[in-house]
Amino acid sequence: MAEVKYIWPDNHKSAYIGKRVVRPDTLEKSTGIAKYSYDVNFPNQVVVRALGCPHAHCKVISVDTSAAEKVPGVVLVHLIKDKAPAPGGDPIEIQAEGTLLVAVAAESEAAAAEGVSKLKVQYELMDVFVDDQNLAAAEAAKRTKAAGGGIELDDALGEPGANEEEKAWEEKTIQKLFQDSKYVVEGRYGVDVITHCCLEPHGATVYWEGGKLRAYLSTQNVSTTDDGYATALGITADDVQVTCNYIGGGFGSKFQPGYWGIAAAEISRKLGRPVKFLLSRDQELKIGGNRPSGYIDVKIGADENGVVQVWDSHHWGTSGFNGSTIGVTNFPYVFHPKNVRRRATGIITNNEPSVAWRAPNHPQACAITQTAYDDLAAKMGVDSFDIFMRNLENIDIPEKASLYAEEMRIAAELIGWSNHWHPHGKGNKRGSVVEGLGIGIHKWGGAAGESNCKLRVYPDGGVESFCGTQDIGTGTRTVCAMVLAETFGLTLDAVKINIGSSTYPFSGASGGSTTVGAVTESHRRAAQEALAKIFDLVATKLGAPADKLEASKGEIRVTGYSDKKLTWKEACSLIGIRPLEVNAEFKRGNSPLSSVNVGGVQMAHVAVDLETGVVKMKKLVAVQDMGLIVNRQSAESQIYGAMIMSIAAALFEQRINDPKTGAFVNCEMGTYRLPRLGDIGELVVHLHEPENERDRGVIGLGEPPAISGITAIANAVCNATGVRVPSQPMTPQRVLNALRSAKG
Amino acid sequence: MAKPSSDQFSRRAFLKGSSAVAAASAVVTSAAAQEKSAQSSQVIAGETTVSLNVNGKSMTAKVEPRTTLLDVLRYQFNLTGAKPVSSDGSSGASTVLIDNRPVEAAVTLALSAVGKNIQTVESLAGDAVPKAFMQYDASQCGFCTPGFVVAVRAFLNRNPNATEEQIRAGLNGNICRCGTYANILQAAISIAKGGQNG
Amino acid sequence: MKNFEYAYAKTEAEAIQLLSVANKSTAVLAGGTDLVALMQSMVVAPDRVVNVGDIETMQHIKRDENNNLWIGAAVHLDELLTSPVVDPFPSIKQVIQGISSVQMQSQGTVAGELLRRPCCWYFRGGNGLLANEGRMVIEGDNRYHAILGNRGPAKFVSASRLAPAMISLGAKVRIIGPKPEQEQIVDIENLFCTPEKTDETEIALAAGQLVTHIILPPDQGRLSAAYEVRHGEGPDQPLMAAAVRFEVLSGLVTESKIVLGQVAPTPWIAREAAMALLGRPINEETAAMAGMKAVSGAIALSGNEYKIELAKVAVKRAILRAAGLETGCFESSTCETAAVNFA
């Protein structure tokens, strides 16, 4: 057999790749048949509810479980390791409200919850600090930590003199650059902490079977979560089987079993009964995952054309009690002036540490830096579109400049930029309503993750694959099926995709928009290899060279000879008695099937009611490049979803901590505001596919469109009102406050 | 000008212990005149076995007064389409139909559903709504989807010819975290336009 | 949830009997949207829950011989919304439409909505209605808290969205119990009060009392409207609310009532604002002036000054909406927001 050359089919030959393909499993999800970890029930199962620490910072001195144990239906009260002291044990410091201390297993959720309410815990309260916006207060409270920074200066500016202190020279040089700037803009911008708020809370349903753990875990990481369990439970990974057929949202927060997942396994081992342990809604918001905040003081200097020549910023924010903030690397975002000085300070607050949220750091970096570019346009009184365009001459991936320019023009066309544009704050007012436009641009890597696929072709023509990946809303099953069907010339229902189990070949976690790249790599490789073997058999049978064969429409035929062919079934019967099995392996790196780096532009059109501060979306446009599109329909859906998440972060969601106690006060769905169907306005998606875009192969798409929409909306509000609302979300309160401050 | 507090009703317990007033009314009968049948009505304490009519079938469950309809459906009948997302009635994820009315099973006591027709998303397997959801890709992670499907069905039952504007204004009882609203909107529009509401 | 006894009442008389049990706290269940949520989080933990949702006499909307509309307490919100006999009271329909959730409209009942417990996050977080005599609110995050009637320990805002409209329309409630023969009809505003001590609540009903009907007097051609400022769609609490009703003769206001919601521990009757309209025509200027008057006694807490602005706007817009003069807000300017484009 000749060596297989991995390649995607030409566009005009594709039966599935790049087409709109309906996801069949949506029907399972829509009718309640799909079973999530929360839905899996086993006979004799107990349900766990846990006590979340009511204090943001305290020592847990002791726990009295006696009353809880007496509650009818309660089966076991379990102290969570390292969170609640065993009788006589040393007090344990807790640094975030909601931290689970004690788990109560019972015959029903209600009994477990009642058990929790009967726990008596002795706490020693400690100082609480949660104000992540107030840097001075954090410094006074000794709650800050340096979080990186640095300086880059144009080589043409020379070097410090022999006797000159470096810092002093840098300062002098930066100040000189500002003096030489035609326009200088100073601003303060910010984005609040948001939480992942997965609708299926974190957790699992687990049981033990002969010393082996079976975990139905809500996870984005089917293949390697077993290690996390094994280490914590003192067993080996082969004793753990993780299953996740469906997951109700993860967004970067579900890569580990979590200490609650470990506790579930421990309780199950103690009781010898299946255990269901998922977080309650408030716990999901408090400890299930959050995205760090960032607030920035920035000064930029631009030349007469509005091209930024110098950037100087200091930002701060919190990632919870580990005290970090958004990484400085992407400041400013996408744009990269020749001279940049930046500094970051983390604030230690009494909150659960942050975890990855869609496109970690990018949405925040975009929102607190590209707003400064928009304010430059406002100061100059010129069109924001022009300022963004002109600054494409200094971006961090220079070869993408023309692509961004093209995407900007398409987006402008789609939103009617030239019709609706007016200088900041200078638009027509209808009653109390003003409208405005804004832009944001973004980038993302999206390289395919590692993935293995076991493929079986049965002598009767059956095809199935096994892959330890998962469907986090991606449409993973459908893209895998599309690749196999495409390669074998079969219909989608002729192939069976098995995912969601750690017993299947390793496939990477679904994070960083790596999944579609990963699974299409492994599936295409496996299918091409299997097909080559089948072609060899068919070639012998038909007396034609293997390289003249093609698989299409359920047949394998000799190219150019319509009568020289076998049906797929006939061809597979040549395999023999045992199925043909191929194991394909893809490691990250260069590949003809996938690559890296996408970009996109989003433009927003908003209406702002100046009397109420309420912002309404009129229209949001996304233009996105992404290499080879696999499932066009899913690709569009991913972008719509990401745009709606941008609306959420721009206008609605935020964690609100009580300033004194640190309590997360809006930890329910009714108070943790998210947009609803009526809040989204008109959404327009444009998949940007210039000539040769397909040749780049598959690149991740899920996260990038969740980046720049927030910025576009923020800039649109500023354009509408002529006033910068400094922080996201732009709640009516914040809009009114900004308008009032501007009036003086 | 300071507002005197008497301007507002701060008459706590205004009603406490006040005697009966004569209220001649054509439409209500005074409580005292009604049949004294309280003895015959049920007071249930502790666990009891009840029969619930779910998706056209009579099913038996063991419930306590505090047991929610959602818990019975999910844990005893293994009907897990309705999801536990919030207990404040704000997410719509646990939506079911009771006597054709959309309600959140998470804030419905099982006992209060006795004697009524309960319809869960599982009964809509052949309905146009899930099909439209599939066609318009109106689901990502899918955890909110069953609640949305039932809500769309209930909404369109009442507004079979709903316009896009009405759908945008009326389907706000459900929350989706993945952001599938644009596709749900299209799915709902397609049904309203396609007249698949019978 | 703590366990409780469940009692099912088929008649009003049964309900009263079931609600009056010695040494037991009782709660009335109708739709359950609020009570079950509160029991889940153990903010309330009654010993007995009496389901009144199926009491036949409380399920209808009927007119009496004096043309009063009797709305059964267990009538669902959507039934009110679709009932033609409620058409003369647009403010009621506007509020229910604003809830914009088919589930909450269909599950929630009229009395349940009126008697909804406060959404104050300190109360819902288990700190009691007064949250340490108001101190938690003063020192805490009070962006949604009271700007009027907030000088005592109560800083929360009344949760009912229907109450301002009902009060402005001069509604009354029929209350029975706690003794079987007791029955009274009182102005609906008397249902609400401001607690001053930790054991008091914001509802002026005594234990064992039951609201059976809301009685709306005939509209007699008066104008009414409600306006809520909402941070997005959905059933969640609005930021601000106002309801108005007035009578205009020969272009001048002869009678007027203005009630605010979301501003105080009770629905807030803005008498001064209403007085200011008397003898004047309705226009942008008089409506704005009424808005100013409505907040003349307002005192902002540390983080809710914006609500004073919102209150002015809500009053102004409710007045203009009632008079059919609404201008300048999204409702009149952005309705053309069109189809999702699936290019």
Side-chain angles (χ1 to χ4, degrees):
Chain A
M1 188 182 86
E3 194 177 326
V4 177
K5 189 178 155 206
Y6 302 121
I7 188 171
W8 291 112
D10 286 345
N11 195 13
H12 68 278
K13 283 192 178 166
S14 284
Y16 292 109
I17 302 293
K19 304 288 189 282
R20 301 181 70 81
V21 174
V22 163
R23 295 190 226 181
D25 50 357
T26 298
L27 203 57
E28 286 155 41
K29 292 176 183 174
S30 306
T31 52
I33 293 164
K35 293 282 178 192
Y36 295 74
S37 302
Y38 210 147
D39 299 338
V40 180
N41 292 318
F42 295 104
N44 203 28
Q45 158 188 291
V46 293
V47 185
V48 173
R49 287 274 142 194
L51 172 69
C53 184
H55 305 295
H57 194 195
C58 65
K59 275 188 185 142
V60 180
I61 309 295
S62 65
V63 180
D64 176 358
T65 61
S66 53
E69 279 158 0
K70 290 192 192 100
V71 170
V74 167
V75 178
L76 181 75
V77 179
H78 173 88
L79 301 179
I80 291 179
K81 198 171 161 249
D82 302 330
K83 310 288 183 196
D90 290 336
I92 296 176
E93 183 181 347
I94 297 295
Q95 300 187 72
E97 189 209 12
T99 305
L100 306 185
L101 306 177
V102 185
V104 177
E107 303 292 351
S108 69
E109 282 194 27
E114 190 184 351
V116 168
S117 74
K118 295 283 162 64
L119 291 164
K120 292 190 190 76
V121 183
Q122 213 191 333
Y123 303 99
E124 183 186 310
L125 300 190
M126 300 173 74
D127 69 301
V128 169
F129 189 87
V130 287
D131 188 354
D132 55 342
Q133 299 189 37
N134 190 340
L135 183 60
E139 278 165 348
K142 299 201 175 6
R143 289 281 196 149
T144 58
K145 270 205 258 189
I151 187 165
E152 291 167 30
L153 293 172
D154 192 352
D155 291 345
L157 296 168
E159 297 275 330
N163 298 322
E164 211 167 5
E165 205 262 319
E166 189 157 338
K167 286 272 174 240
W169 177 81
E170 286 171 1
E171 179 63 29
K172 195 179 74 185
T173 310
I174 291 273
Q175 292 319 321
K176 176 77 169 51
L177 285 163
F178 280 116
Q179 279 160 24
D180 295 345
S181 295
K182 172 86 171 124
Y183 300 100
V184 174
V185 171
E186 286 182 78
R188 176 173 284 195
Y189 312 97
V191 282
D192 290 358
V193 168
I194 63 174
T195 79
H196 293 64
C197 189
C198 303
L199 290 199
E200 181 187 32
H202 286 63
T205 303
V206 304
Y207 66 96
W208 291 81
E209 196 173 44
K212 291 180 192 297
L213 177 69
R214 301 281 180 261
Y216 288 79
L217 177 70
S218 187
T219 182
Q220 301 173 240
N221 188 11
V222 163
S223 276
T224 40
T225 309
D226 49 359
D227 300 350
Y229 271 120
T231 317
L233 295 167
I235 52 178
T236 47
D238 59 296
D239 287 332
V240 184
Q241 186 176 320
V242 172
T243 305
C244 180
N245 287 317
Y246 298 93
I247 169 182
F251 317 112
S253 66
K254 289 182 178 168
F255 293 121
Q256 310 287 336
Y259 64 86
W260 44 82
I262 305 299
E266 287 170 343
I267 294 166
S268 179
R269 186 152 63 180
K270 269 194 222 172
L271 290 175
R273 295 175 66 176
V275 166
K276 185 185 295 297
F277 185 175
L278 289 102
L279 302 184
S280 62
R281 178 51 44 192
D282 68 304
Q283 289 164 355
E284 172 63 22
L285 270 77
K286 288 170 185 165
I287 62 171
N290 66 78
R291 177 190 89 170
S293 60
Y295 308 91
I296 195 170
D297 277 338
V298 56
K299 186 175 178 183
I300 58 177
D303 64 16
E304 65 281 4
N305 293 320
V307 177
V308 176
Q309 301 299 330
V310 54
W311 170 278
D312 191 16
S313 72
H314 178 201
H315 76 270
W316 61 93
T318 192
S319 64
F321 66 72
N322 57 358
S324 189
T325 181
I326 304 154
V328 292
T329 325
N330 281 310
F331 285 65
Y333 186 67
V334 177
F335 296 121
H336 199 104
K338 294 191 178 73
N339 304 291
V340 173
R341 184 169 66 174
R342 49 206 181 182
R343 183 155 68 91
T345 303
I347 298 179
I348 300 158
T349 61
N350 293 109
N351 276 302
E352 185 73 9
S354 298
V355 295
W357 165 262
R358 308 197 73 187
N361 289 329
H362 286 235
Q364 305 105 300
C366 187
I368 67 180
T369 65
Q370 290 181 6
T371 34
Y373 279 69
D374 193 62
D375 278 353
L376 172 64
K379 180 156 193 175
M380 293 171 67
V382 303
D383 193 329
S384 301
F385 181 88
D386 295 334
I387 293 303
F388 273 65
M389 271 294 197
R390 289 176 208 165
N391 277 284
L392 290 176
E393 75 177 58
N394 290 321
I395 61 173
D396 52 8
I397 309 175
E399 59 272 24
K400 289 224 115 181
S402 60
L403 185 70
Y404 280 123
E406 182 61 19
E407 290 178 338
M408 291 256 303
R409 281 189 285 268
I410 296 167
E413 182 77 22
L414 289 170
I415 205 152
W417 189 279
S418 52
N419 289 337
H420 297 297
W421 171 262
H422 55 72
H424 289 72
K426 300 281 187 337
N428 292 332
K429 201 161 123 183
R430 281 202 285 179
S432 59
V433 175
V434 289
E435 295 183 5
L437 296 175
I439 317 174
I441 66 177
H442 63 257
K443 61 177 182 179
W444 189 246
E450 195 172 336
S451 179
N452 298 314
C453 168
K454 182 199 299 199
L455 176 67
R456 279 202 196 126
V457 181
Y458 294 90
D460 62 0
V463 176
E464 69 177 329
S465 73
F466 301 86
C467 179
T469 185
Q470 50 276 317
D471 178 13
I472 62 168
T474 321
T476 314
R477 287 181 183 84
T478 309
V479 296
C480 292
M482 287 168 73
V483 170
L484 296 186
E486 179 79 53
T487 313
F488 295 136
L490 298 174
T491 53
L492 289 174
D493 55 3
V495 300
K496 187 175 179 210
I497 306 298
N498 299 285
I499 64 170
S501 169
S502 64
T503 60
Y504 300 155
F506 172 88
S507 197
S510 288
S513 304
T514 57
T515 306
V516 172
V519 300
T520 55
E521 278 276 6
S522 62
H523 280 71
R524 178 68 174 174
R525 284 163 188 252
Q528 279 195 272
E529 281 174 32
L531 188 65
K533 287 179 180 162
I534 294 168
F535 276 1
D536 282 347
L537 299 169
V538 174
T540 314
K541 175 89 177 175
L542 293 179
D547 61 358
K548 290 280 182 265
L549 295 176
E550 60 183 19
S552 166
K553 294 182 183 162
E555 296 171 343
I556 293 175
R557 40 172 191 265
V558 183
T559 313
Y561 295 83
S562 58
D563 55 337
K564 282 192 143 182
K565 63 183 181 189
L566 292 181
T567 64
W568 174 255
K569 272 197 161 197
E570 289 165 349
C572 292
S573 69
L574 305 174
I575 292 169
I577 301 164
R578 273 176 293 185
L580 168 62
E581 190 168 300
V582 171
N583 290 286
E585 182 180 278
F586 171 70
K587 302 253 183 257
R588 293 191 82 139
N590 281 337
S591 164
L593 299 178
S594 67
S595 66
V596 67
N597 285 338
V598 296
V601 170
Q602 293 193 14
M603 292 190 184
H605 185 181
V606 303
V608 185
D609 186 332
L610 297 172
E611 287 186 341
T612 62
V614 174
V615 178
K616 290 225 165 156
M617 292 305 303
K618 287 181 73 79
K619 191 169 179 177
L620 186 61
V621 169
V623 178
Q624 181 70 45
D625 61 88
M626 71 204 72
L628 173 75
I629 293 163
V630 182
N631 185 346
R632 191 164 293 269
Q633 186 177 38
S634 304
E636 284 175 4
S637 299
Q638 287 286 314
I639 300 175
Y640 285 122
M643 292 162 84
I644 290 167
M645 286 182 151
S646 302
I647 295 170
L651 300 178
F652 292 97
E653 58 179 317
Q654 61 184 148
R655 179 178 72 199
I656 303 172
N657 285 119
D658 179 69
K660 190 151 192 220
T661 63
F664 184 163
V665 288
N666 60 330
C667 56
E668 255 293 349
M669 297 309 292
T671 44
Y672 187 82
R673 298 267 179 177
L674 288 168
R676 293 172 185 266
L677 191 142
D679 292 316
I680 60 173
E682 180 187 359
L683 304 178
V684 179
V685 168
H686 179 87
L687 307 176
H688 184 48
E689 299 170 275
E691 204 62 19
N692 303 331
E693 182 68 9
R694 199 181 158 88
D695 300 343
R696 299 170 69 200
V698 181
I699 318 175
L701 168 71
E703 289 159 74
I707 297 169
S708 66
I710 303 166
T711 311
I713 296 166
N715 288 339
V717 169
C718 181
N719 178 243
T721 60
V723 172
R724 177 62 60 182
V725 181
S727 287
Q728 269 67 253
M730 295 173 290
T731 59
Q733 177 180 22
R734 281 183 167 162
V735 173
L736 287 181
N737 288 348
L739 290 170
R740 196 176 47 197
S741 323
K743 273 190 204 154
Chain B
M1 191 182 78
K3 182 146 275 191
S5 62
S6 63
D7 197 32
Q8 294 300 320
F9 13 85
S10 54
R11 287 156 292 172
R12 257 211 70 71
F14 173 87
L15 304 165
K16 271 187 189 164
S18 58
S19 58
V21 295
S25 152
V27 290
V28 294
T29 324
S30 86
Q34 283 175 357
E35 191 188 347
K36 289 212 169 189
S37 58
Q39 309 303 346
S40 66
S41 56
Q42 262 186 313
V43 177
I44 297 168
E47 196 174 85
T48 179
T49 301
V50 295
S51 162
L52 290 167
N53 187 329
V54 182
N55 299 335
K57 275 183 267 181
S58 176
M59 302 174 92
T60 305
K62 279 188 178 168
V63 302
E64 294 177 305
R66 66 181 169 187
T67 308
T68 61
L69 176 59
L70 183 64
D71 277 0
V72 172
L73 293 173
R74 292 178 55 81
Y75 288 114
Q76 298 193 45
F77 302 156
N78 212 23
L79 292 167
T80 54
K83 306 290 190 219
V85 167
S86 64
S87 56
D88 67 352
S90 186
S91 77
S94 69
T95 306
V96 299
L97 301 177
I98 296 186
D99 290 345
N100 285 320
R101 307 172 59 78
V103 303
E104 293 231 35
V107 287
T108 302
L109 297 181
L111 285 172
S112 68
V114 171
K116 303 188 174 175
N117 283 314
I118 303 157
Q119 234 186 307
T120 69
V121 71
E122 285 85 354
S123 74
L124 296 177
D127 192 273
V129 176
K131 288 188 189 116
F133 269 58
M134 180 170 74
Q135 200 62 37
Y136 289 89
D137 209 27
S139 169
Q140 285 191 33
C141 86
F143 207 69
C144 76
T145 310
F148 245 122
V149 165
V150 179
V152 169
R153 176 35 70 216
F155 179 80
L156 292 176
N157 282 348
R158 287 159 188 223
N159 309 278
N161 303 308
T163 62
E164 175 178 340
E165 200 186 329
Q166 287 168 327
I167 296 170
R168 284 183 188 257
L171 264 180
N172 289 298
N174 298 67
I175 286 174
C176 168
R177 184 49 158 157
C178 302
T180 57
Y181 299 134
N183 305 29
I184 292 168
L185 178 62
Q186 290 309 308
I189 290 170
S190 78
I191 299 169
K193 282 194 180 149
Q196 300 159 66
N197 281 312
Chain C
M1 260 186 274
K2 188 184 79 108
N3 239 327
F4 50 82
E5 289 175 358
Y6 174 87
Y8 180 78
K10 288 191 290 297
T11 64
E12 293 174 15
E14 277 184 16
I16 291 308
Q17 195 158 349
L18 290 165
L19 281 167
S20 303
V21 271
N23 304 320
K24 278 185 183 173
S25 61
T26 56
V28 176
L29 173 76
T33 56
D34 197 34
L35 178 65
V36 177
L38 286 162
M39 292 195 299
Q40 296 255 26
S41 52
M42 299 197 197
V43 171
V44 301
D47 300 319
R48 173 183 285 185
V49 168
V50 181
N51 184 355
V52 301
D54 291 340
I55 296 177
E56 215 269 333
T57 52
M58 288 166 59
Q59 291 182 323
H60 303 291
I61 309 175
K62 286 184 181 169
R63 227 188 272 280
D64 69 11
E65 67 273 22
N66 298 320
N67 231 9
N68 295 307
L69 215 52
W70 287 68
I71 302 168
V75 166
H76 296 104
L77 298 176
D78 60 343
E79 294 168 310
L80 215 49
L81 184 62
T82 52
S83 167
V85 294
V86 186
D87 284 346
F89 310 101
S91 55
I92 291 180
K93 295 206 168 187
Q94 287 156 359
V95 168
I96 297 172
Q97 237 149 16
I99 293 171
S100 78
S101 151
V102 285
Q103 297 91 329
M104 291 300 105
Q105 289 167 344
S106 147
Q107 190 168 1
T109 62
V110 179
E113 206 293 327
L114 285 166
L115 301 176
R116 205 172 138 69
R117 303 300 311 273
C119 294
C120 165
W121 44 42
Y122 297 105
F123 169 59
R124 299 254 165 184
N127 300 290
L129 191 53
L130 299 183
N132 194 14
E133 296 180 338
R135 278 191 285 274
M136 288 192 85
V137 179
I138 293 171
E139 295 166 358
D141 194 307
N142 45 44
R143 68 184 71 187
Y144 300 136
H145 286 80
I147 53 170
L148 285 160
N150 58 1
R151 284 174 226 183
K155 313 286 182 194
F156 62 85
V157 295
S158 167
S160 173
R161 294 168 74 166
L162 271 179
M166 289 290 188
I167 293 169
S168 74
L169 296 169
K172 295 176 185 296
V173 283
R174 175 177 178 265
I175 297 160
I176 58 171
K179 295 200 179 112
E181 68 283 4
Q182 285 178 320
E183 173 188 15
Q184 50 192 318
I185 291 175
V186 301
D187 290 341
I188 196 167
E189 55 262 45
N190 293 321
L191 274 181
F192 307 100
C193 58
T194 302
E196 276 154 20
K197 299 193 187 104
T198 44
D199 60 344
E200 297 174 350
T201 78
E202 77 290 358
I203 307 290
L205 289 175
Q209 285 187 317
L210 177 70
V211 172
T212 64
H213 294 81
I214 290 92
I215 305 145
L216 273 177
D219 72 296
Q220 294 176 327
R222 293 186 188 88
L223 303 172
S224 77
Y227 188 91
E228 291 182 339
V229 180
R230 292 187 287 142
H231 183 192
E233 296 292 332
D236 313 321
Q237 286 303 104
L239 297 170
M240 186 53 60
V244 300
R245 177 161 92 153
F246 44 80
E247 189 169 13
V248 180
L249 286 177
S250 312
L252 302 177
V253 175
T254 56
E255 189 193 309
S256 139
K257 193 148 195 184
I258 299 175
V259 186
L260 283 83
Q262 312 299 326
V263 295
T266 63
W268 190 266
I269 301 179
R271 294 198 167 84
E272 219 185 310
M275 292 269 286
L277 282 180
L278 295 180
R280 294 199 162 87
I282 298 293
N283 55 39
E284 185 95 26
E285 202 179 314
T286 54
M289 184 220 20
M292 298 283 286
K293 296 271 187 196
V295 295
S296 60
I299 298 174
L301 302 172
S302 60
N304 67 0
E305 207 176 339
Y306 75 107
K307 287 187 70 171
I308 296 177
E309 289 308 305
L310 292 184
K312 289 182 202 166
V313 177
V315 168
K316 179 179 80 172
R317 291 188 181 178
I319 292 169
L320 293 174
R321 176 179 276 180
L325 298 173
E326 195 173 12
T327 54
C329 34
F330 296 117
E331 287 78 359
S332 56
S333 70
T334 58
C335 278
E336 75 269 25
T337 298
V340 168
N341 185 324
F342 275 70

